[in-house]
Amino acid sequence: MAASARRVTIATIAEAAGVSVPTVSRVLNGRTDVSPETRDRIEHLLREHDYRPRNSRQPLRAGLIDLVFHDLDSPWAVELIRGVEEVTHAAGVGTVISAVHRRTASTRQWLQNLRSRQSDGVVLVISDGAGPVYTELHRLNVPMVIIDPAGGAAADVPTIGATNWSGGRSATEHLISLGHTRIGLIEGPRNLLCSRARLDGYRAALESAGLRVDRKLIEPGDFRHEGGFAAAQRLLDRDDPPTAIFASSDQMALGVYEAARLRGFRVPDDLSVVGFDDLPEARWSSPPLTTVRQPLADMGGLAARTVLRLSRGEPIETPRVELATELVVRESTRLFAETGGKTTE
């Protein structure tokens, strides 16, 4: 069949699928008035026969991938977009960026738009409530890659992440090496695998140093400035506040800065702070933030390359990739001195 692929016509596909020529035409044009079962059968035959429209030398491809977030209101998302767009631009492929805002109606609308434009693949940066999305993309035979999964992704869906456990451990070990023993932690959303891994790395560092894990020094957070600010308020208002805080994201770490300022704590003289991500704003904060660099742009680029390989039917080396994190020491941490103002133990 490969030798005659260039001679395949719409009529050939229609006869093989047991449908009319107009039905095949509607599928080719992205129309939605075709039953899912019929659409699947026709799309399978189009791929099997390597159907090419008349006067085209290329296989049937949309030349698009979708990049889907819950929200687009963070520098974290911007870094991922930068990595994805660099790869797709070099490949001559367009990127459609969407935010579903954790609303079922928005997700349904995005899926309907996806069916219409027949994207070649999808990079998902969504976690909770993504089960129906996985199911529908499998049904449509659209390849997908997930960045930072919540932990419940199907085994056959490739995922891209970072070494969050080792990042959490290195952040905490850095603070321990400076003499801190009361180290607060502000978690990320507890449903996310990356948040749980950073928490586990924090615990492992304390236990390895022979320090007790004090649950009262662990506060919930949401990766946002507001969450870090609220959690730091609770920690700093304790009768025995921590002398250092590891915030599970840079945005939360900057929220810690503000909570400390309002209470008269100086960073790093009275309170050492470590973040996670190494967003561009981290080195421009005052003082510049010590943080764990997460290679966000590289993660986006790898996700894009992976989904493009899958869209071409090419194999990938491994379904789960974790890129290395790295501690970046700046000016928000310092040696702990027992006689040093607010940090006196």
Side-chain angles (χ1 to χ4, degrees), residues 94-299:
T95 305
V96 179
I97 301 169
S98 304
V100 295
H101 306 293
R102 293 181 170 84
R103 293 196 292 266
T104 302
S106 297
T107 302
R108 282 200 301 264
Q109 182 62 54
W110 168 70
L111 284 169
Q112 181 176 337
N113 294 340
L114 176 80
R115 286 190 291 269
S116 298
R117 59 179 167 263
Q118 297 181 308
S119 287
D120 299 316
V122 175
V123 175
L124 293 171
V125 198
I126 62 176
S127 50
D128 52 309
V133 174
Y134 303 160
T135 301
E136 181 65 6
L137 292 179
H138 275 302
R139 190 190 70 77
L140 294 172
N141 200 27
V142 175
M144 74 187 97
V145 175
I146 303 171
I147 294 178
D148 260 342
D156 60 340
V157 178
T159 61
I160 309 295
T163 54
N164 290 287
W165 183 88
S166 63
R169 177 164 182 159
S170 65
T172 310
E173 286 178 338
H174 170 65
L175 293 169
I176 294 170
S177 74
L178 295 174
H180 295 278
T181 58
R182 290 188 55 74
I183 301 170
L185 170 72
I186 304 177
E187 302 175 274
R190 292 177 178 175
N191 64 305
L192 296 182
L193 183 63
C194 62
S195 299
R196 300 196 297 272
R198 292 171 200 178
L199 168 62
D200 289 343
Y202 161 86
R203 285 174 168 161
L206 291 176
E207 291 169 354
S208 179
L211 298 174
R212 181 173 64 91
V213 177
D214 185 350
R215 183 62 216 181
K216 294 178 182 178
L217 292 180
I218 301 175
E219 288 286 345
D222 57 5
F223 285 161
R224 299 174 181 273
H225 294 98
E226 297 83 357
F229 176 74
Q233 285 182 309
R234 294 190 293 270
L235 287 169
L236 297 177
D237 286 345
R238 292 177 55 85
D239 293 335
D240 51 351
T243 64
I245 294 177
F246 166 37
S248 295
S249 77
D250 285 352
Q251 287 185 283
M252 292 198 301
L254 297 181
V256 173
Y257 274 26
E258 180 61 11
R261 185 189 69 82
L262 292 177
R263 281 155 180 75
F265 286 75
R266 297 164 300 170
V267 178
D269 295 345
D270 305 321
L271 179 72
S272 286
V273 180
V274 178
F276 200 109
D277 285 330
D278 196 26
L279 299 175
E281 61 190 297
R283 67 189 182 97
W284 295 109
S285 60
S286 183
L289 179 66
T290 295
T291 187
V292 176
R293 178 176 293 153
Q294 181 175 205
L296 294 168
D298 291 342
M299 290 162 62

